[in-house]
Amino acid sequence: MQTAEIKRRFLKFFEERNHTVVPSASLVSDDPTVMFTIAGMVPFIPYMTGVVPAPYPRATSVQKCIRTNDIEEVGRTPRHGTFFQMCGNFSFGDYFKREAIEFAWTFLTSAQDEGGLGFNPKDLWVTVYRHDDEAYRFWREIANIPEERIQRLGEDTNYWSAGKPGGPAGPDSEIFFDRGPEYGIDGGPATDDDRYVEIWNLVFMQYERGVDNGDGTFEILGELPKKNIDTGMGLERIAFLLQGVENMYETDQVRPVLDLAASLSGKKYGDKDDDDVRMRVIADHVRSALMLISDGVQPGNEGRGYILRRLLRRVVRNMRLLGVETATFPQLFPASMRAMKDAYPEVERDFDRIARTAYAEEEAFLRTLAQGTTIFEEAVSGAKGSGLAQLSGDIAFKLHDTYGFPIDLTMEMAEEAGLRVNRDKFNELMTEQRERAKADAKSRRSALADLSIYSDFRAKGETQFIGYEDLRAESEVLGIIVEGSSVPVARSGQVAEIILAETTLYAESGGQDADQGWLIAPSGGFEARVDDVQKPVAGLIAHTVTVTEGEIAVGERVESVVDEVYRRQASEAHTATHLIHAALRDALGPDAHQSGSYNKAGYMRLDFSWNQPLSKETRIELEEISNAAVRADYEVITKEMSLDDAKALGARALFGEKYGSVVRMVEIGGPWSRELCGGTHVSGTSEVGLVNLIGESSVGSQNRRVEALVGRNAFADFATERAIVRELSSGLKVPREQVTERVEDLLASLKRAEKKIADLEAAALLGRVPELLAGAEQVGSINFVGGSLGTVGSADDIRHVVLDIRERLGSEASVVAIGGESNGKPIIVIATNEASRDLGVKAGALVKLAAGVLGGGGGGKPDVAQGGGQDAAKLPEAVTAVRRELQSV
């Protein structure tokens, strides 16, 4: 059975059971704390936690997912893939354990000619949480699984939690397929052997969890008011089992790339274990990269971009280990696209863009590999010349960090040269790098400029930033990059990166946005607007410019000119960031430490560790403390000193930043605020002018964010608010101190009036019930009432009328189908009574039929369902379609 057919059957099975089919969300997660969609339930988390009311009681989806935490296992086990598709069915306070178990078992074991997957029940095992007697009983009753094939396991495998106090938690039950004795030892899933493949996980969210107990467990506060179901069936795992292949890499959506890698390398899949692993890695990573680029991810050095770049480079590395050193993406990516386009047509539609991104990244990496190989060979020669048997970890890290060499490639090359690699030192440096990484850092560098270009310029020395003292200065043009290539000249109309020996323009770093300004030829004839200033590699500053006049060549002199107004306002904002940080520590204590920041002219934001919203009083206090420091006109002093000396003075370092042995400390009011910072600042706090706190929000479970306007922007905002208050005071004819009270009174009056109107409208609609009942007709075996209410306020208005009519029709088999129009859109609500449902009539099926006529969709329970569409003029036709459907009952 093809993968696409399994997906189709899954969605059809649950749609027939009143689940709303929800399309896959993007691989790029909306959650700012998560880079990717890592599980099928991620898009539904707001509904499961109750933060957002669920728009439907039941849902089903096949969700695209990316996980790279087990990347080293890819190709080595039958089931680990970085990209996978998770089939899920979800209940939001509707059905629970019994139904979830029955659905899963029915779909898995029903015959294929009946729409199921046709698994033999004798091949399936089940695990339940050790204390979940209810799930155990349901499995025995529903599936009649022998007791010996139901295993009770502990919290580490069969208990799920949202991960924080107040969130949902509950036991889960997993279904495993036994591949047979030729694949491993007997004993069931408890053995954790690859013989038993987990194919479905049913999570029963029934409790509210409390705080951690300190031993990996947590307190249970009680049952949730609404119990939820979250299940996940691995599509790739089901596919490889049903297709009779050995692993997910040999399924129809992945195997074509594996076979092509074998063909390009001249090797045969199945001949050699190491080569087989490499081919499987290539097939997996090409598909993952295809899907990531399709969803808008671009290769980069941070965050999602780094994950994508790593996948692409691992493909290149494994092709090289198979003996192929030329570009292969132009063959591999089209093969993956052809395998995936039936399930995801967008990969074919957007393939030109996907291909350009992938091919350019491969070309850039092949160049850096060539340059890195030269560095490697020099290091090997030096080590052997010194009689060493080991390549230093520093060299291995440089090859990884600057030239993109994966450590295992360096280790294999070193082994071929008869050397070992100091892996411990390499791991130490990698850990330091990960700690320096910023989750919200931007990647604005030229998409196609590989690091070797920057490395060539960096070899000429560091770019000196002299903008603390000077706002304009001459320097030599060391290099020019246009569209990813080093060029000798930048001409009018071009966007270019220009690298100077010295610059007065501040490069974005430490949370401070880049300076604005110009590059100008001292003798005239050339001018460029500076759009961005970045540090593409350590010690190098690159100016992204738009050339507005003339041309400039490498080796010529150019003057960097800072926009003084922008710099002054940016400096005010950066100093205000330090004031807010100090104020947070004053108000909340030392645990409220900075985790990130961003500031530009007139604006600042600061992220800090804290696990709950700030009260109104605390926000006022922060603003008061900060502005008290402004009024105090503390002197702002910058000092360079050793890192140890700065720490001894209590200077605060930002987690994730890299500091050298000599650091720059910014001191405000002596010990009141001491921070390590390379940004620009005012000389006294009174120059900040004013700090106006405008926002406070969450940026993760343990982090908050405050935002403020600074200086002139803060004054302008207050002036706007003052003008608004003045107008309200005049219009309401009350003193300004009474404006709030007067507005509250008016809102209360408006609310009462709206309620009165709603009550009158509802009464008027219910008054039409006798008229609608008078039109009742016998359709087949059903007493049918159909019609339209015309324009209504909402679907609830129609629902009230429908339920009232159903109640008045009594116990005779009846169906009510009433439509209406709200905000220009048609709505139809259908209700059945018990007698009609006994005849097989379901409201959900009928409403889908009616909504289809209206050009939309709908769903609901068998007793009541609701749908909508686009064309309100077709409401009579929709009701007629329902009437026609009932004639056969």
Side-chain angles (χ1 to χ4, degrees):
M1 189 181 296
Q2 297 292 289
T3 305
E5 172 62 14
I6 300 170
K7 174 182 176 181
R8 186 193 67 78
R9 286 178 178 233
F10 182 88
L11 295 175
K12 183 174 185 290
F13 177 90
F14 283 98
E15 184 178 26
E16 290 174 347
R17 286 154 180 81
N18 299 318
H19 290 67
T20 299
V21 177
V22 179
S24 173
S26 170
L27 286 170
V28 178
S29 174
D30 289 334
D31 186 341
T33 67
V34 181
M35 283 194 294
F36 297 116
T37 302
I38 60 173
M41 54 86 74
V42 169
F44 302 101
I45 288 176
Y47 309 145
M48 293 175 178
T49 58
V51 174
V52 177
Y56 26 66
R58 304 179 178 192
T60 184
S61 70
V62 177
Q63 174 62 48
K64 300 179 293 185
C65 303
I66 284 282
R67 287 185 197 167
T68 57
N69 53 319
D70 289 330
I71 195 169
E72 299 302 332
E73 295 299 314
V74 172
R76 302 182 185 279
T77 74
R79 62 187 187 274
H80 281 99
T82 51
F83 172 85
F84 60 98
Q85 299 157 88
M86 188 59 70
C87 306
N89 60 287
F90 309 90
S91 167
F92 312 110
D94 189 1
Y95 61 83
F96 201 50
K97 284 184 189 178
R98 174 180 283 277
E99 294 88 343
I101 289 171
E102 186 172 14
F103 287 152
W105 187 255
T106 301
F107 181 64
L108 286 173
T109 61
S110 292
Q112 292 188 5
D113 59 4
E114 296 175 359
L117 297 184
F119 280 95
N120 188 333
K122 294 180 180 179
D123 293 330
L124 301 178
W125 289 65
V126 168
T127 64
V128 297
Y129 177 54
R130 58 187 175 186
H131 299 309
D132 193 355
D133 296 330
E134 188 179 41
Y136 186 94
R137 175 166 54 85
F138 288 152
W139 278 115
R140 293 283 292 134
E141 292 176 359
I142 294 168
N144 197 28
I145 298 179
E147 292 182 1
E148 62 268 22
R149 292 217 311 274
I150 305 177
Q151 297 185 324
R152 294 177 181 264
L153 300 179
E155 288 87 352
D156 56 338
T157 59
N158 282 77
Y159 207 94
W160 180 89
S161 161
K164 57 183 179 181
D172 66 55
S173 181
E174 298 175 348
I175 307 172
F176 290 77
F177 178 85
D178 180 5
R179 304 179 76 197
E182 63 269 32
Y183 289 97
I185 61 174
D186 196 6
T191 63
D192 197 28
D193 192 87
D194 281 343
R195 168 177 169 174
Y196 302 93
V197 179
E198 178 195 339
I199 56 175
W200 207 324
N201 187 12
L202 294 80
V203 179
F204 312 125
M205 299 183 189
Q206 63 188 106
Y207 301 113
E208 180 181 359
R209 64 156 290 178
V211 298
D212 293 327
N213 294 324
D215 59 357
T217 64
F218 45 82
E219 179 185 5
I220 295 296
L221 301 180
E223 293 205 347
L224 294 171
K226 286 189 176 181
K227 300 175 182 179
N228 298 323
I229 287 293
D230 156 34
T231 84
M233 184 189 84
L235 184 56
E236 281 78 7
R237 297 185 184 189
I238 293 290
F240 90 72
L241 294 173
L242 291 182
Q243 291 174 19
V245 296
E246 292 297 310
N247 51 62
M248 61 165 287
Y249 315 103
E250 298 175 17
T251 59
D252 59 298
Q253 288 187 343
V254 188
R255 183 64 186 253
V257 178
L258 187 152
D259 289 338
L260 185 55
S263 175
L264 291 171
S265 65
K267 299 180 184 293
K268 184 178 179 181
Y269 182 69
D271 278 358
K272 185 179 178 183
D273 287 345
D274 287 347
D275 286 345
D276 288 353
V277 170
R278 289 161 186 156
M279 293 176 198
R280 292 194 286 263
V281 169
I282 290 164
D284 171 84
H285 287 9
V286 166
R287 183 170 75 144
S288 298
L290 174 85
M291 301 306 296
L292 283 170
I293 299 171
S294 174
D295 274 1
V297 181
Q298 291 291 306
N301 291 328
E302 295 166 333
R304 300 181 184 98
Y306 174 75
I307 298 297
L308 173 58
R309 174 164 284 168
R310 185 184 184 197
L311 291 170
L312 292 169
R313 291 186 170 187
R314 279 172 61 91
V315 174
V316 175
R317 171 246 172 186
N318 279 280
M319 287 303 302
R320 287 174 67 91
L321 293 177
L322 289 174
V324 182
E325 297 189 359
T326 56
T328 59
F329 284 9
Q331 291 80 40
L332 298 175
F333 272 78
S336 186
M337 180 271 290
R338 289 190 292 270
M340 296 299 294
K341 68 180 182 179
D342 288 343
Y344 301 99
E346 62 268 26
V347 299
E348 182 177 34
R349 184 175 62 247
D350 298 335
F351 190 68
D352 286 345
R353 175 182 61 82
I354 295 169
R356 284 196 302 271
T357 300
Y359 301 171
E361 183 69 13
E362 182 183 40
E363 291 169 4
F365 185 45
L366 287 174
R367 289 196 298 271
T368 60
L369 276 175
Q371 189 171 358
T373 300
T374 302
I375 301 295
F376 172 83
E377 290 172 350
E378 291 175 357
V380 168
S381 177
K384 289 185 173 180
S386 302
L388 301 175
Q390 182 172 259
L391 199 65
S392 76
D394 297 83
I395 289 293
F397 180 78
K398 179 180 179 182
L399 287 168
H400 164 85
D401 193 44
T402 305
Y403 301 101
F405 271 50
I407 182 59
D408 42 1
L409 175 60
T410 302
M411 292 177 70
E412 290 191 30
M413 292 172 63
E415 185 178 351
E416 292 171 0
L419 297 175
R420 300 188 311 276
V421 174
N422 186 341
R423 185 65 187 266
D424 290 341
K425 179 63 176 178
F426 173 85
N427 290 340
E428 177 187 330
L429 294 170
M430 281 296 295
T431 298
E432 292 176 4
Q433 184 192 59
R434 281 191 292 269
E435 290 175 350
R436 292 192 301 266
K438 292 181 179 179
D440 63 344
K442 300 174 184 176
S443 179
R444 301 190 191 175
R445 300 170 190 127
S446 174
L448 302 180
D450 64 70
L451 293 177
S452 64
I453 293 177
Y454 295 118
S455 298
D456 291 342
F457 300 135
R458 180 64 179 81
K460 300 175 183 179
E462 293 191 19
T463 305
Q464 298 299 312
F465 174 64
I466 55 177
Y468 292 130
E469 296 82 18
D470 301 310
L471 296 183
R472 59 190 304 157
E474 280 190 35
S475 183
E476 179 186 354
V477 177
L478 299 181
I480 301 173
I481 299 172
V482 175
E483 295 183 351
S485 299
S486 178
V487 297
V489 178
R491 295 183 171 86
S492 180
Q494 287 185 317
V495 174
E497 287 183 81
I498 296 181
I499 297 162
L500 307 177
E502 303 90 22
T503 183
T504 58
L505 290 150
Y506 184 82
E508 180 185 359
S509 58
Q512 182 172 334
D513 206 359
D515 269 337
Q516 295 180 1
W518 303 268
L519 299 183
I520 301 171
S523 56
F526 169 80
E527 184 172 311
R529 182 186 70 245
V530 176
D531 300 320
D532 195 13
V533 190
Q534 293 289 326
K535 297 178 179 178
V537 296
L540 194 72
I541 296 177
H543 309 76
T544 299
V545 305
T546 299
V547 181
T548 56
E549 180 185 343
E551 62 180 45
I552 193 74
V554 173
E556 293 185 2
R557 304 289 293 180
V558 70
E559 188 173 21
S560 61
V561 181
V562 176
D563 182 325
E564 294 186 33
V565 174
Y566 187 89
R567 166 68 75 82
R568 181 172 65 254
Q569 293 179 339
S571 298
E572 293 167 2
H574 201 153
T575 300
T577 305
H578 287 225
L579 300 183
I580 289 284
H581 191 199
L584 279 167
R585 297 195 304 274
D586 276 2
L588 302 177
D591 289 340
H593 55 82
Q594 180 179 343
S595 57
S597 66
Y598 173 70
N599 48 78
K600 62 180 181 178
Y603 169 85
M604 61 130 294
R605 71 169 186 245
L606 185 141
D607 298 343
F608 61 99
S609 56
W610 202 249
N611 60 4
Q612 59 187 356
L614 301 184
S615 66
K616 177 183 177 181
E617 292 74 20
T618 301
R619 295 197 298 270
I620 292 172
E621 184 180 4
L622 287 180
E623 200 171 69
E624 288 178 346
I625 293 173
S626 302
N627 285 303
V630 172
R631 292 191 298 272
D633 194 20
Y634 291 139
E635 186 178 9
V636 181
I637 301 173
T638 58
K639 302 176 182 178
E640 288 194 351
M641 60 184 67
S642 71
L643 180 59
D644 290 340
D645 287 345
K647 288 181 177 178
L649 288 171
R652 292 181 173 269
L654 179 61
F655 178 79
E657 285 285 1
K658 178 182 178 181
Y659 299 101
S661 56
V662 176
V663 296
R664 184 172 184 262
M665 185 183 76
V666 176
E667 181 180 275
I668 301 175
W672 187 69
S673 172
R674 286 177 176 148
E675 297 190 34
L676 303 185
C677 179
T680 65
H681 292 272
V682 298
S683 58
T685 55
S686 63
E687 295 176 42
V688 170
L690 183 66
V691 179
N692 175 11
L693 204 64
I694 59 170
E696 189 268 342
S697 58
S698 170
V699 286
S701 60
Q702 299 295 322
N703 282 278
R704 307 295 298 178
R705 170 175 291 173
V706 290
E707 298 175 88
L709 298 176
V710 180
R712 187 169 64 181
N713 286 19
F715 281 109
D717 188 65
F718 277 129
T720 299
E721 288 188 359
R722 184 176 62 182
I724 292 171
V725 172
R726 185 185 296 120
E727 290 181 15
L728 285 171
S729 176
S730 174
L732 296 172
K733 301 186 183 332
V734 295
R736 65 179 184 178
E737 58 269 17
Q738 295 178 17
V739 165
T740 301
E741 182 180 349
R742 179 61 176 146
V743 169
E744 290 175 349
D745 289 343
L746 288 172
L747 288 174
S749 297
L750 179 61
K751 189 173 183 180
R752 288 193 297 270
E754 288 175 341
K755 185 178 186 306
K756 187 174 182 179
I757 292 170
D759 290 343
L760 290 171
E761 289 177 344
L765 288 173
L766 289 174
R768 295 186 59 187
V769 167
E771 170 193 342
L772 292 166
L773 277 169
E777 57 184 311
Q778 192 69 28
V779 179
S781 303
I782 301 295
N783 188 17
F784 176 66
V785 174
S788 174
L789 295 175
T791 301
V792 296
S794 69
D796 285 342
D797 295 334
I798 305 175
R799 183 180 289 261
H800 291 152
V801 171
V802 168
L803 295 180
D804 188 45
I805 293 174
R806 183 180 68 176
E807 183 69 21
R808 298 192 190 200
L809 287 172
S811 60
E812 182 183 351
S814 303
V815 172
V816 183
I818 304 295
E821 182 179 344
S822 178
N823 297 320
K825 299 289 186 181
I827 301 169
I828 188 164
V829 177
I830 298 177
T832 63
N833 64 3
E834 185 175 354
S836 66
R837 292 194 295 277
D838 289 342
L839 295 175
V841 179
K842 295 181 179 180
L846 292 175
V847 91
K848 287 177 183 176
L849 172 68
V853 175
L854 299 173
K861 298 180 180 180
D863 61 334
V864 183
Q866 174 184 319
Q870 303 298 319
D871 191 350
K874 290 189 175 181
L875 275 169
E877 185 180 338
V879 174
T880 298
V882 175
R883 181 187 295 107
R884 189 181 303 117
E885 181 71 13
L886 294 174
Q887 289 174 351
S888 60
V889 178

